[in-house]
Amino acid sequence: MSEKWISNFRTALKSKCGKNWTVYNSRGIVRLQVGKRPNEETLSTAYKWSEDTWIDALNRITTINQIFTESKGKIDLKTAYAISSSASSILELDWPDALNSYRSFKTNVSEKTWKSKHLPVLHIALTLLNKKKKPKNAEELSNLALSKWTKGTTQRRHMRIALNSFLNYVVQRQDFPSKWLPPVMSDDEAVTTTKRIGYPLSDSQILRLVDSVKNPRWKFALQLMATYGLRPNDLKHLHTRNNGNELWSDYRKSQGGKKGLTTQPRQLFPLFVEDIDGSKNNWNLMKKIHIKEELPTINDKGGAGQAVGRFLRDNKVWQQLKKEAEDERQQLTPYSFRHRYAYVGHNRQKDDGTYRAPKQIADAMGHSLDVHLSSYSRFMTKELAKNFDQETVKVS
């Protein structure tokens, strides 16, 4: 029984060129037959009888058909084949039109998702394809178009999936040459499942940073993130309840691995940033939210985490703290305020001398106990160093 691609090849050829045009395998080479015996014309092409090359062969034969038909019997099949060689070489692929067709085809993709998870890489790809020295095939295009995103990251994975889907579309539905089929994913493209070590800011570091910020809205935002262990997105969802006596976030985050499920709105509980003498900094944050004191404007472009990161990256104290984190082989990010909250929640005793239960801290931070333990179990071992021999570092 014929393989599926052979049936697809012959069906597509019949659709494009008519029922009298067909192909068969001649010693591993695609042989074209036009007409019916005993008056048929045949021609051996330069294409292998292979699933990998049949689309290229189809496109070439389609060009031959156009030339042969337009000549109205003035040239034979072999001459049409020779002319098609130069015609195929100068054929320009209409990538912009293919992109427009692809957008119409992707009816299940919302405009927001299209703009955030498809267009970034597709715009780069079309820009590359419009250059004088353009990529010659899908592998070259993918390497260049995806170079903006770090290998192994989720963002690069999204962009690679979007580009691959488009490339599959243009080959399978727009009859582009098979050289534009997306390349096989290499091992180093796999998204890493190893969590990076989040750096918990200390209270003294937070005070240094807050003191360095002159913009009152951003100072307010950083104080909130540190005191309540907020995700950056929480900043857009804060409100008070019970006549201003409770602070809440109604931000709903997708629960990983559970399609359609989200976290629930949660009441926020403070863990105040302490001065070096142990006195707590009560910045009256809940009252400021209640009277609607303004926070910085954070739009959806790039996400709230990136907005916070953009503000902080030029701050000299933030740059110093980043170096301090790197010296400890950790990474400073906008989530380091939240990591600080988890660390303090596990290690700072309550007023009665006891420690908080892990479930209580997980609830306050708005995630399940399993998620909490996967990220913050390293903060839960109390006084570990005291159970081992001590060493000191002498600085001469």
Side-chain angles (χ1 to χ4, degrees), residues 108-139:
N108 61 330
V109 177
S110 70
E111 192 62 23
K112 181 178 179 181
T113 300
W114 174 252
K115 289 180 178 178
S116 64
K117 293 188 177 180
H118 293 261
L119 277 186
V121 70
L122 296 181
H123 275 165
I124 292 174
L126 262 65
T127 299
L128 291 166
L129 290 163
N130 196 42
K131 289 185 175 182
K132 187 174 182 180
K133 190 176 181 180
K134 60 186 70 175
K136 299 182 182 67
N137 52 48
E139 184 171 6

Side-chain angles (χ1 to χ4, degrees), residues 19-158:
K19 62 181 181 180
N20 289 328
W21 288 62
T22 190
V23 288
Y24 58 91
N25 182 2
S26 176
R27 298 180 180 180
I29 298 296
V30 174
R31 190 166 185 85
L32 173 63
Q33 176 179 310
V34 180
K36 295 183 179 180
R37 294 177 180 177
N39 300 315
E40 80 279 8
E41 285 190 68
T42 64
L43 173 76
S44 286
T45 71
Y47 298 93
K48 291 182 179 180
W49 184 260
S50 164
E51 184 175 6
D52 294 333
T53 59
W54 77 265
I55 293 177
D56 290 346
L58 172 66
N59 291 333
R60 181 70 176 277
I61 294 171
T62 301
T63 303
I64 295 170
N65 172 265
Q66 292 172 348
I67 296 169
F68 186 75
T69 303
E70 289 173 2
S71 75
K72 297 181 179 180
K74 293 179 180 179
I75 61 175
D76 60 13
L77 200 58
K78 290 183 180 179
T79 304
Y81 180 75
I83 296 172
S84 73
S85 177
S86 58
S88 297
S89 66
I90 62 174
L91 182 65
E92 287 292 329
L93 300 174
D94 194 341
W95 289 98
D97 183 67
L99 180 59
N100 290 333
S101 299
Y102 178 63
R103 179 63 187 110
S104 300
F105 173 72
K106 299 291 285 185
T107 56
N108 61 330
V109 177
S110 70
E111 192 62 23
K112 181 178 179 181
T113 300
W114 174 252
K115 289 180 178 178
S116 64
K117 293 188 177 180
H118 293 261
L119 277 186
V121 70
L122 296 181
H123 275 165
I124 292 174
L126 262 65
T127 299
L128 291 166
L129 290 163
N130 196 42
K131 289 185 175 182
K132 187 174 182 180
K133 190 176 181 180
K134 60 186 70 175
K136 299 182 182 67
N137 52 48
E139 184 171 6
E140 285 187 14
L141 177 63
S142 295
N143 289 338
L144 292 169
L146 295 171
S147 61
K148 176 181 176 180
W149 296 278
T150 304
K151 287 186 177 182
T153 61
T154 301
Q155 184 68 1
R156 182 174 170 112
R157 174 177 175 272
H158 287 316

Side-chain angles (χ1 to χ4, degrees), residues 148-352:
K148 176 181 176 180
W149 296 278
T150 304
K151 287 186 177 182
T153 61
T154 301
Q155 184 68 1
R156 182 174 170 112
R157 174 177 175 272
H158 287 316
M159 295 301 110
R160 177 168 41 77
I161 290 173
L163 180 59
N164 287 359
S165 177
F166 174 61
L167 292 175
N168 275 317
Y169 171 84
V170 299
V171 173
Q172 295 172 3
R173 295 179 179 270
Q174 297 287 314
D175 293 333
F176 280 36
S178 62
K179 68 179 182 178
W180 294 110
L181 283 171
V184 177
M185 185 181 75
S186 59
D187 291 341
D188 58 355
E189 286 282 4
V191 176
T192 178
T193 57
T194 303
K195 282 184 173 289
R196 63 184 176 188
I197 302 177
Y199 182 70
L201 285 163
S202 69
D203 285 11
S204 62
Q205 288 174 322
I206 288 171
L207 292 174
R208 282 165 53 197
L209 180 61
V210 168
D211 287 345
S212 74
V213 174
K214 305 306 179 187
N215 184 312
R217 295 184 184 183
W218 276 107
K219 185 187 289 280
F220 183 25
L222 300 185
Q223 290 171 337
L224 282 163
M225 291 172 66
T227 302
Y228 291 99
L230 302 184
R231 302 180 181 94
N233 267 313
D234 283 314
L235 293 171
K236 300 186 292 183
H237 298 271
L238 299 175
H239 62 279
T240 58
R241 299 184 185 180
N242 191 21
N243 295 320
N245 290 305
E246 295 176 0
L247 181 61
W248 284 73
S249 169
D250 60 4
Y251 171 56
R252 294 175 178 266
K253 180 183 181 298
S254 174
Q255 293 186 12
K258 299 179 180 180
K259 189 173 182 179
L261 296 182
T262 63
T263 58
Q264 297 300 308
R266 73 186 193 280
Q267 184 178 354
L268 303 173
F269 302 96
L271 287 172
F272 295 117
V273 177
E274 292 186 347
D275 285 318
I276 194 169
D277 61 1
S279 59
K280 293 179 171 59
N281 285 277
N282 184 351
W283 289 308
N284 295 314
L285 303 176
M286 182 164 61
K287 179 180 178 181
K288 291 179 179 179
I289 293 294
H290 185 63
I291 64 175
K292 303 191 184 310
E293 184 163 322
E294 290 187 340
L295 283 161
T297 300
I298 298 175
N299 58 37
D300 289 327
K301 186 176 181 180
Q306 290 190 27
V308 176
R310 282 193 298 270
F311 172 75
L312 289 171
R313 67 187 174 194
D314 295 326
N315 181 285
K316 291 185 178 180
V317 174
W318 180 259
Q319 293 170 359
Q320 294 168 1
L321 298 178
K322 191 172 183 179
K323 179 64 168 60
E324 292 172 19
E326 290 171 352
D327 288 344
E328 297 185 18
R329 303 294 191 271
Q330 299 185 66
Q331 290 181 287
L332 181 69
T333 73
Y335 269 74
S336 290
F337 298 94
R338 185 167 168 82
H339 300 330
R340 171 264 170 195
Y341 185 91
Y343 178 83
V344 171
H346 283 292
N347 288 278
R348 181 191 291 172
Q349 294 179 352
K350 296 187 293 184
D351 291 339
D352 63 4

